[in-house]
Amino acid sequence: MNFIKVFSNGLYNSKEAYSYFSEDEIINIPFDLYNLIDIDQKTENEFIFPNIIEFLTDLYVTLNIKDKHFKYIDSKLEEINFWKKFSEYLYSDFLYKKEGAILALAKKRSTSNCKYLEDAFISEYYKKNPILTARCLTELFYLKSKKAKEFKKLLVEDFDLINFISILLFDDEELTKKVLGLNKNEKYLQKIRADSIQNFTMNFEIFITNVQGANKIKDFTRDEYIKSINYFEKIYSSYKIDDFYSFYKKALQEMEISHNTGL
């Protein structure tokens, strides 16, 4: 079955990998994966990216692919410089694609992929997007990046609201206590008690994901994240959702964020 057609028209089930492709078709998978990235970026097909992530996660984590095919696909992906091409997703307009790219690059468990995450951390996430700053830094430590400790220090040394939320999302208890102690008089710490930090950060991330999803919008800019953090701080522990769609539609309006749709 044609790989590109399968990945473009429905959700791929990795457990049934060998019901989709013959031995001959498996030979073309690395090249088809590479080409799918261009197709996805041109068409914004709703299935391609989730299927790419499903396939890569299966290849390197759940391992439904036979060893002989894994060795071939993995080596061929390296040969055709697939991971450099795939790293373009780290700069996507969409939060969920950047999150998926960070995950997939980490699950490959290759130190050679650190450079893509390191570059994105500094140029795209740091001081702009707290969710991705924390996600990216977590995976850099997982990959034993030589720059991970340096990046962690940056969050404290150049402290601001974005870095504060990044630190909370990074979920390092010692670092969190240090930051709370050093910045206890900052106004944006007043409503967040030390015993509720984990709950606050978990709900903030869910809030952002749902606001963007319900409104079908691309990722926020730095200023829009600051607005969203300030808004969420005001409603934290006080809001109830009876109508999911209406609540997150209204939340975007109340944050006074005007954003183009991603469709």
Side-chain angles (χ1 to χ4, degrees), residues 217-257:
I217 60 175
K218 298 178 180 179
D219 196 12
F220 291 155
T221 64
R222 170 186 164 82
D223 288 344
E224 289 168 344
Y225 267 105
I226 290 174
K227 286 182 180 180
S228 67
I229 293 167
N230 289 331
Y231 176 80
F232 186 71
E233 186 186 48
K234 291 177 183 177
I235 66 170
Y236 174 57
S237 297
S238 65
Y239 70 89
K240 294 181 181 180
I241 303 175
D242 297 318
D243 183 336
F244 176 95
Y245 181 81
S246 296
F247 173 79
Y248 287 107
K249 277 282 189 180
K250 183 180 179 183
L252 187 72
Q253 296 167 0
E254 290 182 348
M255 285 188 285
E256 297 180 345
I257 293 175

Side-chain angles (χ1 to χ4, degrees), residues 99-259:
E99 289 177 317
I102 292 170
L103 174 67
L105 284 162
K107 295 309 179 188
K108 170 76 164 60
R109 294 192 290 275
S110 171
T111 55
S112 63
N113 281 346
C114 283
K115 60 181 178 289
Y116 303 122
L117 295 173
E118 290 164 354
D119 289 346
F121 180 92
I122 289 297
S123 65
E124 189 74 5
Y125 309 150
Y126 174 63
K127 295 185 78 68
K128 299 175 186 175
N129 186 319
I131 293 172
L132 297 176
T133 295
R135 289 277 181 91
C136 190
L137 186 57
T138 297
E139 301 301 354
L140 284 171
F141 271 101
Y142 171 73
L143 292 172
K144 296 181 170 56
S145 161
K146 293 179 180 179
K147 293 186 177 182
K149 289 183 179 179
E150 171 192 333
F151 291 166
K152 182 178 172 181
K153 283 179 63 178
L154 282 177
L155 297 181
V156 179
E157 292 173 353
D158 194 11
F159 192 77
D160 65 359
L161 179 56
I162 293 289
N163 279 358
F164 170 59
I165 300 299
S166 299
I167 289 168
L168 298 187
L169 289 168
F170 182 57
D171 196 23
D172 180 315
E173 185 176 356
E174 183 179 346
L175 181 63
T176 299
K177 286 182 178 179
K178 178 180 180 181
V179 167
L180 288 172
L182 291 173
N183 301 277
K184 59 185 177 183
N185 295 321
E186 293 287 353
K187 63 180 181 179
Y188 43 80
L189 300 185
Q190 300 307 310
K191 294 184 181 179
I192 308 173
R193 302 187 315 276
D195 61 355
S196 67
I197 283 175
Q198 186 174 13
N199 186 60
F200 175 88
T201 52
M202 179 183 70
N203 280 283
F204 173 72
E205 191 165 359
I206 292 170
F207 173 76
I208 292 298
T209 300
N210 287 337
V211 167
Q212 293 186 10
N215 290 279
K216 295 184 172 62
I217 60 175
K218 298 178 180 179
D219 196 12
F220 291 155
T221 64
R222 170 186 164 82
D223 288 344
E224 289 168 344
Y225 267 105
I226 290 174
K227 286 182 180 180
S228 67
I229 293 167
N230 289 331
Y231 176 80
F232 186 71
E233 186 186 48
K234 291 177 183 177
I235 66 170
Y236 174 57
S237 297
S238 65
Y239 70 89
K240 294 181 181 180
I241 303 175
D242 297 318
D243 183 336
F244 176 95
Y245 181 81
S246 296
F247 173 79
Y248 287 107
K249 277 282 189 180
K250 183 180 179 183
L252 187 72
Q253 296 167 0
E254 290 182 348
M255 285 188 285
E256 297 180 345
I257 293 175
S258 176
H259 211 291

Side-chain angles (χ1 to χ4, degrees), residues 39-84:
I39 294 171
D40 180 37
Q41 291 173 336
K42 291 175 182 176
T43 66
E44 292 295 349
N45 178 288
E46 64 180 302
F47 300 111
I48 291 177
F49 182 76
N51 285 333
I52 291 175
I53 299 301
E54 171 80 7
F55 182 85
L56 293 175
T57 301
D58 182 41
L59 188 66
Y60 295 107
V61 182
T62 53
L63 308 176
N64 287 308
I65 304 295
K66 296 175 183 177
D67 283 349
K68 65 176 182 178
H69 295 143
F70 167 81
K71 290 176 182 177
Y72 166 76
I73 295 170
D74 181 51
S75 63
K76 190 60 69 173
L77 289 176
E78 292 286 352
E79 184 181 320
I80 65 176
N81 217 3
F82 170 80
W83 295 104
K84 180 178 181 181

Side-chain angles (χ1 to χ4, degrees), residues 86-103:
F86 180 78
S87 71
E88 293 175 8
Y89 279 122
L90 294 172
Y91 305 89
S92 168
D93 288 335
F94 296 92
L95 177 63
Y96 81 95
K97 288 189 175 182
K98 287 180 279 196
E99 289 177 317
I102 292 170
L103 174 67

